[in-house]
């Protein structure tokens, strides 16, 4: 588990930070200390912190000694202070602290915790910096790496397009306007034309004084603009705001694609995403197998044990499915009906996988009113390289019906000579 250090001598502020850590950073092991001595002791016990939020002035470290100590350990440091001092702020920022946060209101603590949460995952975010000036690229890289971003460089627009092809998972492009061969406007246009706009933010930069540049960048497809030179704090805030906007849109889209009860993909998302699985199968001439699964006697479970137990059974099955089918696309496509599409598995291998899933699920004891029962499912598995998803669904449904008619709790595959 990721570990965060929080150093604060005020008991009031500490209570606020502990509350925010418990709600905002529940998956983080947060260590709290109230003095320089306690901080040193914490490092003696375990120094594996990914970041630290540190009060600038402590009773036993009144001049920021604890900040210097944490920085020397190579830990990204967010500084909290009760007073704004521009000279001290510049000194600390130039010295490499992640940010300088003044404790003016509760919002400051929310901001510090949000930044700490982002530092935990920033290494997963690729940022492409495009500038023909090596000195400018180095400056921006240093700022980004201070917040643990994964940085890639390009010296002009053509190089940037090549880097985007090598790294299609780039989440943020920061590009200068004035560059040889391809200026910032043309680069933004080319990126938006060649690459998926979703999940990618672009920030334009320029040292020109023209006020229209920001509007022109955005009209060409950028998300934001900054004049050079800029304050590091403004730079970080713009980056965070743009990444958070992308992440929020992705969360909304993902929520729309999920079944509310099980958290699996829903029917609409499954049928949409399965089209790409079939295209991949056709493109690489590999088999695509499809399975339709239906829980047995589910109406009886609802009628006999109640709908709450029925919901619990559905969630338990979803958990088993996630463990056994994690490499493939699957979804809840009806009340007690689930679908699974398996790229690269022929019918015998797909049948073995689904039957293994059946056995694992049957082995799950469902507790209810002091007793237990076992649920099961029936399924059909078909394989084809040329059919569309509707045809696969219909053929699997026929096999599923036959499995139900034959007594349930079984999975049937297509005949060896079936098309």
């Amino acid at each position: 588990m990721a570990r965060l250090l929080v150093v604060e001598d005020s008991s009031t502020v500490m209570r606020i930070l502990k509350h925010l850590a418990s709600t905002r950073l529940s998956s983080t092991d947060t260590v709290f200390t109230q003095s320089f001595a306690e901080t040193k002791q914490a490092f003696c016990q375990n120094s594996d912190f990914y970041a630290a939020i540190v009060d600038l002035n402590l009773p036993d470290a009144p001049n920021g000694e604890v900040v210097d100590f944490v920085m020397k350990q190579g830990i990204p440091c967010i500084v909290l202070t009760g007073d704004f001092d521009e000279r001290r702020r510049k000194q600390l920022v130039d010295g490499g602290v992640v940010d300088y946060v003044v404790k003016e209101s509760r919002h400051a603590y929310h901001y510090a915790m949000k930044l700490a949460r982002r530092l935990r995952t920033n290494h997963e975010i690729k940022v492409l910096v495009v500038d023909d000036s090596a000195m400018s690229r180095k400056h921006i890289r240093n700022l980004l790496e201070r917040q643990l971003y994964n940085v890639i460089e390009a010296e002009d627009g053509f190089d940037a397009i090549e880097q985007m092809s090598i790294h299609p998972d780039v989440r943020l492009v920061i590009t200068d306007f004035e560059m040889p061969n391809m200026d910032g406007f043309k680069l933004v246009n080319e990126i938006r034309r060649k690459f998926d706009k979703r999940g990618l933010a672009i920030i334009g930069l320029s040292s020109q004084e023209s006020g229209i540049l920001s509007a022109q960048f955005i009209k060409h497809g950028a998300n934001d603009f900054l004049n050079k030179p800029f304050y590091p704090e403004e730079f970080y805030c713009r980056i965070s705001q743009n990444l958070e906007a992308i992440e929020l849109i992705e969360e909304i889209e993902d929520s729309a694609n999920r079944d509310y009860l099980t958290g699996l993909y829903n029917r609409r998302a499954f049928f949409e995403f399965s089209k790409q699985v079939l295209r991949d199968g056709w493109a690489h001439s590999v088999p695509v197998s499809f399975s339709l699964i239906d829980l047995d006697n589910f109406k009886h479970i609802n009628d006999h044990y109640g709908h709450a137990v029925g919901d619990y059974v559905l969630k338990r099955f979803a958990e088993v499915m996630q463990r056994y089918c994690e490499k493939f696309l699957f979804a809840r496509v009806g009340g007690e009906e689930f679908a699974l599409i398996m790229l690269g598995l022929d019918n015998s291998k797909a049948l073995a996988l689904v039957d293994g899933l059946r056995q694992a699920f049957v082995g799950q004891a469902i507790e209810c009113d002091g007793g237990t029962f076992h649920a099961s499912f029936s399924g059909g598995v078909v394989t084809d390289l040329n059919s569309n998803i509707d045809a696969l669904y219909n053929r699997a449904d026929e096999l599923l019906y036959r499995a139900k008619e034959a007594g349930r709790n079984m999975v049937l595959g297509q005949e060896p000579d079936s098309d």
Side-chain angles (χ1 to χ4, degrees), residues 94-157:
D94 290 346
V97 302
V98 172
D99 212 335
Y100 179 91
V101 182
V102 182
K103 296 183 279 187
E104 295 177 311
S105 67
R106 193 179 185 89
H107 177 74
Y109 310 123
H110 281 271
Y111 174 82
M113 279 296 174
K114 183 172 70 172
L115 180 53
R117 183 176 59 187
R118 179 158 289 285
L119 287 173
R120 191 178 59 191
T121 57
N122 277 355
H123 66 279
E124 301 171 358
I125 298 176
K126 288 185 180 180
V127 182
L128 175 61
V129 178
V130 191
D131 201 311
D132 60 315
S133 166
M135 183 178 297
S136 181
R137 290 200 309 273
K138 182 179 179 181
H139 173 61
I140 295 173
R141 171 185 278 275
N142 288 340
L143 290 176
L144 290 166
E145 290 182 342
R146 192 179 298 180
Q147 290 205 359
L148 309 181
Y149 289 104
N150 185 346
V151 184
I152 303 161
E153 293 185 30
E155 60 185 17
D156 60 30

Side-chain angles (χ1 to χ4, degrees), residues 4-7 39 43 49-56 64-81 88-89 92-101 111-112 115-116 119 145-148 236:
L4 172 70
L5 175 67
V6 176
V7 185
T39 302
F43 271 91
F49 296 104
Y50 78 88
I53 299 174
V54 180
D55 190 4
L56 184 59
E65 294 89 345
V66 69
V67 174
D68 295 334
F69 172 78
V70 170
M71 294 281 289
K72 286 178 181 177
Q73 313 307 312
I75 309 298
C77 186
I78 303 165
V79 173
L80 288 177
T81 178
R88 188 71 168 125
R89 183 206 68 81
L92 288 166
V93 171
D94 290 346
V97 302
V98 172
D99 212 335
Y100 179 91
V101 182
Y111 174 82
L115 180 53
L119 287 173
E145 290 182 342
R146 192 179 298 180
Q147 290 205 359
L148 309 181
Y236 290 138

Side-chain angles (χ1 to χ4, degrees), residues 257-258 263-266 269-270 273 291 293 317-333 338-342 357:
N257 288 329
R258 296 287 175 179
L264 302 185
Y265 282 125
N266 56 31
F270 179 80
F273 298 154
S291 178
I293 292 167
F317 177 69
E319 291 170 2
V320 177
M321 200 172 198
Q322 286 171 325
R323 289 200 302 272
Y324 274 78
C325 309
E326 60 180 351
K327 295 180 181 179
F328 304 108
L329 175 65
F330 51 91
R332 181 187 179 197
V333 294
F338 298 79
L340 167 65
I341 189 165
M342 296 156 280
L357 172 65

Side-chain angles (χ1 to χ4, degrees), residues 48 52 58 79-80 97 105 117 122 138-139 170 175 186-187 199 204 236 263 271 279 312 337 385 392 415:
D48 187 25
L58 299 172
V79 173
L80 288 177
V97 302
S105 67
R117 183 176 59 187
N122 277 355
K138 182 179 179 181
H139 173 61
V170 164
T175 179
K186 292 179 181 178
L187 173 59
Y236 290 138
F271 275 79
R279 284 194 291 267
Y312 178 66
E337 192 173 75
L385 186 60
L392 290 173
E415 297 298 327

